[in-house]
Amino acid sequence: MAHREPMLLVDRSEMVEENHVVSEYTVTGKEEFVNGHFPGNPIVPGVILCEIMAQCSILLMKDELEGKLPLYAGLDKIRFKRVVKPGDKVVVNASLKVKRSTVIVVDAVATVEGQLACKGDLSFYLVPKE
């Protein structure tokens, strides 16, 4: 995992099939991104939900990451369906769609209490670490 505190947004991750990962992150409410979004009614910003899905997908790329960093190449078909608040456990199901030498595309679905929160295709470009 390339991320560390305070930007690490994965509590647990498990490869359940060869190309399918299930991961979790519980929003504590202590994260900076909820402090001002919105005062008195904190919710997780949509871009942070995408980041949670991306970090929860990294296990699908473990064999390709030696000496490389996964950077966003694109976000496609992203849909937000449910507000995520402090105390919510976000469960991400991610499946590999495309794997090329330096490009990986993942189908990710984030749920809270079984309800769809966010879904979409995440594209990553693997770049050499400097």
Side-chain angles (χ1 to χ4, degrees):
M1 177 66 69
H3 294 83
R4 299 290 180 265
E5 292 294 339
M7 196 55 199
L8 181 61
L9 302 172
V10 179
D11 294 328
R12 186 184 74 75
S13 191
E14 176 184 2
M15 184 81 72
V16 293
E17 294 176 16
E18 182 180 347
N19 293 320
H20 185 134
V21 170
V22 177
S23 305
E24 297 176 353
Y25 178 69
T26 299
V27 181
T28 66
K30 296 177 184 175
E31 299 90 352
E32 281 298 315
F33 53 77
V34 295
N35 285 338
H37 193 266
F38 296 92
N41 186 25
I43 65 169
V44 176
V47 295
I48 299 296
L49 282 174
C50 291
E51 181 64 20
I52 291 169
M53 292 191 311
Q55 289 187 28
C56 287
S57 301
I58 293 298
L59 190 56
L60 292 169
M61 306 170 211
K62 66 179 174 42
D63 296 335
E64 286 77 21
L65 289 180
E66 184 69 35
K68 296 184 178 128
L69 285 174
L71 301 180
Y72 273 133
L75 300 169
D76 297 305
K77 302 177 191 166
I78 299 295
R79 297 291 179 263
F80 303 101
K81 300 293 185 175
R82 181 193 191 280
V83 170
V84 177
K85 296 181 155 284
D88 286 343
K89 182 189 331 183
V90 180
V91 177
V92 176
N93 279 273
S95 299
L96 188 64
K97 285 183 79 171
V98 175
K99 184 190 257 184
R100 295 194 184 107
S101 63
T102 58
V103 175
I104 293 178
V105 181
V106 172
D107 174 49
V109 176
T111 59
V112 174
E113 297 180 358
Q115 296 176 341
L116 179 62
C118 184
K119 66 178 183 172
D121 293 340
L122 313 174
S123 301
F124 301 91
Y125 185 64
L126 303 179
V127 298
K129 285 183 184 177
E130 295 182 9

